Amino acid sequence: MKKILALALFAVALVSCRQTMQTDGFKLSGHLEGLQVGDTLFLKTFLLPDWKEDGTDTILVEKEGIFSAFIPMEHTTFYLLTHQPKVGEPLRSCIRGAEIIARVGDDIKLEGSLDYLGAVRHSGGFYDNSLVARYDSLTASSNTEMIDIFSQILKYQDTKQNDSVAKYGQMYNEYHRPLMLKTVRDSLALKVNDMEYAAFMYASAFVFDATYKDVKERLAQFTPEVQNSYFGQILDKQLLVLKNIEVGFAPAKFTVTDKDGRKVSLSDYKGKYVLIYHWGLCPGTFWVNPKITDLYQKYHEKGLEVLGFTRDDLLKSLQGSSEEFKKDERVQGLLSHPWTTVYTEDEGNGFIVKDLYFSGVPILMLISPDGITLARGYTKAYEEVKNLLDRNLGNK
């Protein structure tokens, strides 16, 4: 009798668990012209503030032009919807897909076409708010214009009409988002205080360049409900990160393993200027790398150290590249750094990307002999770094 009762209770608990799982999510549906039975839609999850991809939900299309799915979720989430046809290749576009921000319990509907997937209109959830709806409409119109220009580039590329490719290429490169779109975005991110969508907008559009003081002041303006929401907590956590890298503050101590397997700690550089240099294959790195090398050669004997960070072995990134590119002096300069290099993707080093907010490349961060951050930024920070070193080490 006890076994039967236990099994019955287990069955009830299992049903209850399944029901809970089914209600912790949101409904996503839409009418997309061009959608065919057997096509697949991929709903990719991204985490802010670093836009890291964190899983994909798959939706199989069962009816022409229409799709519907229940998407399990635990908190407000940013998604990107992309399309894979049953036959052939996906359409090429300059807009990756349809962006969606949804909460638990939302019923989000999309309206548009596959040709303009990045310009669909949204309804339901946050999108029923008048200001969000206005932003959505302006974004869709702007993305439509960009997709149209990009389509012309592809058309003339296929027919090898180079003059027309150049014409529309210039139009694309010189395209500017409407001023009204920026105005509405800024209103949502900086002036609305009672909606989690505003916290999301601030996290996605402003945290990238914001200071510790900026984020602290903005977070304080939100209502307690928004502060305690998922994206409110994202901003709160970002405060700790920004304080750790803020000019005038001392970054937290850390220990990582360099590319040769040796332990390296920030405390190893006490009493010296240390330039943290996060780099990768990009034009900015190609521009600043020889300048950093010159600074190192000029001031190393006077008290400058450089601690380099990059994702992994550059030779891996160069696989598939032409021999000519591999022999390029800019690439060779990256392969012959005279300072310590740390691979952030090596086991045990991943934390440093978040702690030092390596949100792009190149990032320069100059720390004083007493452990205080003096300068930080992208390529523009080079001049400030150089001036500080010239002033403090130039006469030694």
Side-chain angles (χ1 to χ4, degrees):
M1 180 67 181
K2 290 182 179 179
K3 287 185 177 180
I4 294 174
L5 179 59
L7 287 171
L9 290 173
F10 175 75
V12 170
L14 184 59
V15 171
S16 175
C17 178
R18 285 176 176 170
Q19 289 176 342
T20 301
M21 291 176 63
Q22 289 175 350
T23 56
D24 288 345
F26 76 103
K27 182 180 178 182
L28 178 65
S29 60
H31 292 78
L32 295 177
E33 183 180 341
L35 201 60
Q36 302 295 319
V37 175
D39 286 357
T40 304
L41 296 172
F42 296 107
L43 190 67
K44 300 179 181 180
T45 301
F46 288 86
L47 301 179
L48 271 65
D50 53 1
W51 298 101
K52 181 180 179 181
E53 190 172 335
D54 187 48
T56 302
D57 288 282
T58 302
I59 304 170
L60 185 63
V61 178
E62 298 178 346
K63 189 174 181 179
E64 184 176 336
I66 298 174
F67 76 93
S68 179
F70 179 83
I71 308 299
M73 70 188 317
E74 297 178 356
H75 51 70
T76 306
T77 303
F78 174 86
Y79 297 98
L80 182 72
L81 185 72
T82 62
H83 168 254
Q84 174 66 50
K86 182 180 180 180
V87 179
E89 297 296 322
L91 291 171
R92 291 180 290 172
S93 178
C94 56
I95 308 294
R96 297 177 301 166
E99 297 182 356
I100 301 164
I101 176 79
R103 301 166 295 190
V104 172
D106 278 351
D107 185 358
I108 305 295
K109 295 180 174 62
L110 307 181
E111 192 77 32
S113 72
L114 288 181
D115 288 345
Y116 295 91
L117 184 58
V120 297
R121 303 298 176 99
H122 305 67
S123 62
F126 289 122
Y127 301 100
D128 287 343
N129 174 276
S130 59
L131 193 58
V132 177
R134 175 66 172 151
Y135 179 73
D136 182 57
S137 177
L138 290 168
T139 301
S141 297
S142 178
N143 285 356
T144 297
E145 292 175 354
M146 292 185 68
I147 291 170
D148 282 339
I149 296 172
F150 188 75
S151 297
Q152 293 299 312
I153 295 174
L154 294 179
K155 182 179 77 173
Y156 290 117
Q157 281 180 341
D158 291 341
T159 56
K160 303 188 184 307
Q161 298 183 49
N162 295 333
D163 289 344
S164 295
V165 171
K167 170 187 173 183
Y168 284 99
Q170 182 177 356
M171 289 175 60
Y172 183 83
N173 291 331
E174 295 177 354
Y175 181 84
H176 295 286
R177 295 284 191 176
L179 179 60
M180 182 56 68
L181 178 61
K182 181 180 182 299
T183 300
V184 175
R185 182 204 68 183
D186 291 356
S187 293
L188 279 166
L190 302 174
K191 297 180 180 179
V192 175
N193 299 323
D194 60 354
M195 182 169 52
E196 187 182 6
Y197 188 91
F200 158 72
M201 288 295 289
Y202 187 79
S204 63
F206 287 89
V207 163
F208 191 70
D209 291 319
T211 65
Y212 172 79
K213 181 182 177 182
D214 293 335
V215 178
K216 186 176 182 180
E217 290 179 352
R218 181 65 184 110
L219 187 59
Q221 295 167 354
F222 287 118
T223 63
E225 182 181 5
V226 174
Q227 291 176 7
N228 293 324
S229 69
Y230 176 74
F231 279 105
Q233 291 299 301
I234 290 292
L235 293 177
D236 188 56
K237 292 176 182 177
Q238 190 66 8
L239 279 177
L240 298 177
V241 175
L242 292 176
K243 189 173 183 179
N244 194 48
I245 64 172
E246 191 86 350
V247 172
F249 288 90
K253 296 178 181 179
F254 62 79
T255 298
V256 290
T257 304
D258 74 8
K259 65 182 181 66
D260 298 315
R262 296 171 299 196
K263 294 294 183 182
V264 182
S265 299
L266 182 59
S267 58
D268 296 341
Y269 300 98
K270 186 177 181 180
K272 296 184 178 183
Y273 286 91
V274 56
L275 178 61
I276 291 176
Y277 173 33
H278 182 236
W279 59 272
L281 282 176
C282 75
T285 295
F286 285 153
W287 179 83
V288 82
N289 192 71
K291 301 179 186 301
I292 299 299
T293 302
D294 288 345
L295 283 178
Y296 181 81
Q297 292 172 344
K298 183 177 182 180
Y299 291 126
H300 177 57
E301 296 298 326
K302 296 183 178 183
L304 172 65
E305 298 287 351
V306 175
L307 180 56
F309 290 89
T310 190
R311 287 184 58 188
D312 53 24
D313 189 344
L314 179 60
L315 292 176
K316 293 181 181 178
S317 301
L318 291 173
Q319 289 180 359
S321 300
S322 67
E323 290 301 317
E324 181 180 3
F325 181 70
K326 292 177 183 178
K327 293 177 182 178
D328 189 297
E329 64 177 9
R330 298 171 301 174
V331 174
Q332 289 300 309
L334 296 175
L335 290 170
S336 57
H337 285 157
W339 51 74
T340 299
T341 297
V342 175
Y343 296 150
T344 59
E345 291 197 348
D346 278 2
E347 185 177 355
N349 290 342
F351 73 93
I352 203 69
V353 174
K354 181 171 291 187
D355 285 6
L356 294 183
Y357 197 32
F358 289 153
S359 53
V361 291
I363 288 177
L364 308 178
M365 183 173 174
L366 182 65
I367 301 173
S368 71
D370 55 356
I372 303 299
T373 299
L374 301 176
R376 188 185 190 280
Y378 295 95
T379 49
K380 290 182 180 179
Y382 165 75
E383 289 299 330
E384 185 178 2
V385 168
K386 180 179 182 300
N387 291 337
L388 283 166
L389 292 174
D390 287 344
R391 187 162 59 248
N392 291 288
L393 297 179
N395 295 322
K396 281 193 174 184

